[in-house]
Amino acid sequence: MTHRTGRIRLWAWAVVGLAFISGGAAAAEPEWKVGLARVKVTPERPVPMAGYASRNKLSEGVEADLFVQAMVLEDRGGHRAAVVTSDLIGFPAAVAEPICRRIEAKTGLKREQILLNSSHTHSGPQVTLRAKAEGGTSAADAQRAVEYTRELQDKVVGAVTTAAGHLTPANLSWGSGVINFAMNRREFTPNGVILGVNPRGLADRSVPVLRVDSPDGKPLAVLFGAATHGTTLGGDNYRICGDYAGFAQDGLRAKFPGVQVMFMLGCAGDSNPYPRGTMALARQHGETLAAEVERVLGGKLRPVGGPLRIAFTRVDLPLQTSLTRDELTKLAANKRDARSFAAGQLLALLDKGEKLPDHYTCPLTVWQFGDDLTLVGLSGEVVVDYLARLEKALGPNKLWVAAYCNDVFGYLPSAKVLAEGGYETRGLYAGGAGFFAPAAEEVVVRAVRELARRAGRTLPE
Ligand SMILES: [Zn+2]
């Protein structure tokens, strides 16, 4: 940026800042147009639930509704993008890509302009187009999950289409807060890493908040994040709800009637809420998060200007190829090992005479908002180690890292986590088979840095 445009930009900031303080009577021309839509996706009958293999029956009742929500943004140059949030376990590529193709046809938005995120609630329905009768699920019940997912796809397309058709002038601003209930869950024991509690481990406790206001300063929408699993509730819960993220959104909706409240999940791969295990705790964490978002909204937020520049790619992440049939047989047989499922899938490939796949292709996206904010959309259940890598590769400021975007194929472990072992090394569970190689981490970091460069973020050396 030249000195001159820098000064113009500062001046524009001052005007926007004044508008916030004065209530916006003399607001500059808004930087954005925003369209919003929300659709209820609560299952209308009992369904197989997602997230815990230990469950042996369908859902029983609804504790709180689930929603899919769309926000379509358009900058002054007409560059558009759609972010979709959902109180769901996650969109695997097989579910997400047909949705995106239909959105492209209906709205003209291109694939790279669409970001689908999920809160990863473990108290919601399965999201799958493959009927899997297993773990006490009958074939008819498994079919219910598929029917639910087809209706869900229609609703997502409908929400984005509605939002894209109702753009109104708006200003964006953002800030960040903190929560303390995000806990690293990789507990080191004499018998290896278990799913437990690790208070000395890393967890991303930040709460990014994007506020959308009408030109006269009236709030229209809030998009906020956190980075811990939707697992306050365990596998013994059969009531449908959005876990802490759902309750946080409900609480904010009650506080700000008419405002669209959306949750986007971050690098929560190796983080659980703490403490956990009851509906009361899920509600408590939701209240804590909602109160923090409200606090941030009431504080000083930084204006977010355009233009919006998006860089999207699909990268080939290397998978381990050196596993022998003997090793896989042993792994597959040990049902207590989290890697058993993926090992079984690889064995089945070998049995068909196929080779072990050497990569998995996943989408990555970067949205650059002027010089004000970079939104990174990672796919998969990304562990927190990636955050430190990306902060170094991209610079730590004006950065929002979301995960669970566009394709939730399984965990994305770091090289460190792969070396240490534990649940997050379990391998792909949707859309492919295999275990990530340690080199996958470097591929992701390099690819995101390149996307950020293409999108116009100023990068560190
Ligand atoms: Zn998970």
Side-chain angles (χ1 to χ4, degrees), residues 51 89 120 122 185 229-231 268-269 381 404 408 411 423 429:
I89 190 80
H120 201 48
H122 281 43
R185 68 183 199 182
H229 253 67
T231 49
E381 301 201 43
Y404 297 78
V408 178
Y411 285 87
Y423 189 79
Y429 57 62

Side-chain angles (χ1 to χ4, degrees), residues 247-412:
F247 293 124
Q249 292 170 93
D250 289 345
L252 288 162
R253 272 180 213 120
K255 284 259 172 160
F256 304 106
V259 175
Q260 180 154 310
V261 178
M262 303 166 70
F263 174 86
M264 186 153 67
L265 187 60
C267 294
D270 47 354
S271 170
N272 273 343
Y274 178 85
R276 55 191 289 255
T278 65
M279 191 63 77
L281 284 168
R283 288 185 175 278
Q284 179 189 309
H285 295 325
E287 281 169 27
T288 301
L289 178 54
E292 181 62 359
V293 172
E294 194 182 348
R295 190 190 67 79
V296 173
L297 288 172
K300 257 194 186 163
L301 299 180
R302 291 179 293 277
V304 175
L308 177 62
R309 286 161 294 187
I310 291 179
F312 177 98
T313 192
R314 295 177 196 277
V315 286
D316 292 346
L317 301 183
L319 298 172
Q320 297 173 33
T321 52
S322 59
L323 290 155
T324 65
R325 177 178 280 273
D326 277 359
E327 287 169 322
L328 289 171
T329 305
K330 244 184 233 165
L331 272 179
N334 182 5
K335 298 294 178 203
R336 293 177 58 188
D337 192 311
R339 294 168 294 175
S340 169
F341 174 76
Q345 287 195 310
L346 290 176
L347 272 182
L349 289 179
L350 291 181
D351 288 345
K352 281 195 279 184
E354 293 179 24
K355 282 205 295 191
L356 297 184
D358 63 0
H359 70 275
Y360 181 78
T361 306
C362 82
L364 296 170
T365 191
V366 170
W367 294 13
Q368 182 66 35
F369 296 80
D371 292 320
D372 302 329
L373 179 63
T374 304
L375 172 65
V376 177
L378 305 172
S379 51
E381 301 201 43
V382 184
V383 301
V384 70
D385 292 341
Y386 280 88
L387 203 54
R389 291 291 321 270
L390 291 176
E391 282 201 337
K392 192 145 185 258
L394 271 57
N397 297 319
K398 302 177 181 178
L399 182 63
W400 183 337
V401 180
Y404 297 78
C405 297
N406 293 316
D407 181 10
V408 178
F409 45 75
Y411 285 87
L412 185 57

Side-chain angles (χ1 to χ4, degrees), residues 238-251:
Y238 286 88
R239 287 180 68 73
I240 294 286
C241 72
D243 207 276
Y244 76 89
F247 293 124
Q249 292 170 93
D250 289 345

Side-chain angles (χ1 to χ4, degrees), residues 53-206:
S54 60
R55 288 202 180 102
N56 55 18
K57 55 184 177 180
L58 302 179
S59 61
E60 292 175 342
V62 174
E63 180 77 11
D65 280 323
L66 309 179
F67 297 97
V68 160
Q69 302 181 86
M71 181 192 293
V72 174
L73 298 163
E74 184 180 295
D75 71 10
R76 284 180 183 168
H79 306 107
R80 290 188 300 162
V83 56
V84 174
T85 63
S86 59
D87 304 310
L88 295 167
I89 190 80
F91 290 99
V95 177
E97 293 308 316
I99 290 174
C100 293
R101 283 196 293 274
R102 288 171 61 189
I103 292 172
E104 286 184 289
K106 284 210 157 195
T107 68
L109 283 159
K110 296 200 180 75
R111 174 64 189 91
E112 59 264 30
Q113 294 170 301
I114 305 164
L115 187 159
L116 305 178
N117 184 274
S118 294
S119 72
H120 201 48
T121 176
H122 281 43
S123 292
Q126 290 180 8
V127 177
T128 180
L129 292 170
R130 280 187 48 218
K132 285 174 292 185
E134 61 189 22
T137 308
S138 70
D141 290 345
Q143 193 54 37
R144 284 189 182 202
V146 173
E147 283 162 18
Y148 172 84
T149 303
R150 293 216 175 96
E151 284 172 27
L152 171 70
Q153 289 180 302
D154 294 344
K155 287 178 176 178
V156 178
V157 174
V160 177
T161 306
T162 301
H166 294 82
L167 298 179
T168 62
N171 288 308
L172 306 186
S173 56
W174 90 293
S176 191
V178 60
I179 45 154
N180 288 311
F181 65 84
M183 172 68 75
N184 188 294
R185 68 183 199 182
R186 292 173 49 75
E187 183 174 335
F188 290 77
T189 77
N191 298 317
V193 179
I194 63 165
L195 274 178
V197 171
N198 179 3
R200 290 194 296 218
L202 289 174
D204 175 11
R205 297 180 298 128
S206 72

